[in-house]
Amino acid sequence: MEKLAMKRAAKIYTMNKGLGNSETIIQGDCNVAKQQVSLPCACIYQTRLDNNIAWMAEFAKQSQVEFSPHGKTTMAPDIFKKQLNAGAYAITIATVQQAVVAAQAGAKRIIMANQLVGKANMQQLSYLLKQYQVDFYCLVDDVSNVTSLGEFFSKQGIQVKLFIELGVPGGRCGVVDEQKLQQLVAHIKQFSSLQLAGIEVYEGVLSTQSEVTAFLADAVTTCKELIEQQAFATEQVIITAGGSAWYDLVCDAFAPSNMLDNMVPVIRPGCYVAHDQGIYGHAQQQILARNPLACNIGSDLQSCLEVWAYVQSLPEPGRAIIGMGKRDVAFDAGLPIANLHIDQHGVVTKAGADWQVEKIMDQHAMLRVDQNSHLKVGDIIAFGTSHPCLTFDKWRYINVIDDNYNVVGIFDTYF
C-alpha cells in the first residue's frame, strides 16, 4: 500500500504543474524560495488565510448575522473545513457539482446561489440529497423552472427548499416586478416537493452605495410582507445577500432592529478568504472608511494568494519576460502585481516599487523593471493578484506555505 501511495503521489506531482518532488514534500523538506517546487506555482500563506477566515467570522458575529462563505472562490475542501470550523452557517455554491464538493467537505447546510435548471443537474442533486444529510437551498425566479423542479422532485420523493431571488432591472437574475413575485409564491405552493424558505438577492450588480442600500432595504421590506402573507413554508425565513464588496452594507440592512424574530440574516462573501491586491483590496479600503466595526476587529484582511514564477528571459534593458501567463493567473480585473524578488541563492527581498506587468500572454508576462535592475534569468518573482477566483481555478493543487516559504501542505481544488 505504501508503494502504491508513493506511485500515485509521484504521478500526481509529475503530471500537474506547480508542485515539488513527491518524496521531498512527504519528508517535509520543501521550500519555494529554495527552488524546491516546480514553477510557476500557486501559493497560499497559511497565517494570512487563517487570519482572513477568523476576521470574517468575527465581523459576522459582531454584526449578528450568519455567514455562508461562497465556495466557488477556492473550491478547496480543506478551506471549506476551516470556514465551517470557524462557525460558518453554510457553504454557498453555484452549481450542483460544487454542492457535492461542499457536502463531502462536511457542510450540513448548502446554499446554491443560483437557479437549478436541467434534468441532469436535478438528477445529480437527487443523488446528493439521498447520499448526504444536508439542508439544501436553491433559487427560483421563473414559474416554468418551479414547475420543472416540482414535477421532478415529486417523482423522487424529495423536498427541496427554495429562495425567491429578487433582482434589479438590467441586472443579472431575479424577479423585478410584484406581479411575477406573487405568481411565483402561489405556484410554489402547488408542489408538496417544494418549500419556500427565504429571499435572496445579489447586490454586486449595483455600482453605488446608495443603490445597494436601497435595494437591500426593499428586499427586507419584501421579505417581511411575504411573512405577513404567510408565503413561506418554513418556520425560520432566511434572507441572504452579500458578495465581497458590499458585505458591510448587507450587515447594516440586516441589523437585528430590521429583522422579525423568525428571520435569519445570512451574508455570503467569498473572495475575503484569499483577499487580493486589486479590486477587493480597494473595496475593503472603502469598507474600512465607512464601517467602524471593520476598523475595530483587531486586524484586517490580508492578501494571501501568490503565483511564483521564474524570470525566463531578459531580452533588453528594462524588460523581463516571466514564465507565467493567462493559464496561471487572473487578468480580468487587473494584471499581477510583483511582490517579492528571490535571487538564485534564495535571498528574498521586496520587488521594485516600479516593477509593473505591462502585458500577459498564455505562458508569459512582460514585466517592466528599472533599466539598471540586477535581475537575472532564473531569479524568481512572487506575484499578487486581483480577483482571486480566476487564479484559483487555474490550479489543481496549491501549495500552502508558512512565513518562511516552507511548504506545509497542499490544497486540492475541484473546479
Side-chain angles (χ1 to χ4, degrees), residues 320-371:
I321 309 304
I322 309 299
M324 168 196 75
K326 293 179 180 179
R327 294 175 180 264
D328 309 303
V329 67
F331 56 90
D332 65 310
L335 297 180
I337 305 101
N339 286 340
L340 301 174
H341 168 228
I342 302 93
D343 70 18
Q344 292 171 52
H345 301 288
V347 177
V348 181
T349 56
K350 287 185 177 181
D354 58 347
W355 294 6
Q356 185 173 6
V357 174
E358 296 184 325
K359 185 179 180 181
I360 191 165
M361 302 176 73
D362 274 5
Q363 307 280 182
H364 301 88
M366 290 64 174
L367 181 68
R368 175 65 61 183
V369 298
D370 186 278
Q371 293 207 2

Side-chain angles (χ1 to χ4, degrees), residues 383-401:
F383 291 88
T385 70
S386 179
H387 197 186
C389 298
L390 268 70
T391 295
F392 273 102
D393 71 2
K394 299 178 188 302
W395 296 92
R396 178 68 181 83
Y397 300 98
I398 297 178
N399 298 280
V400 185
I401 60 175

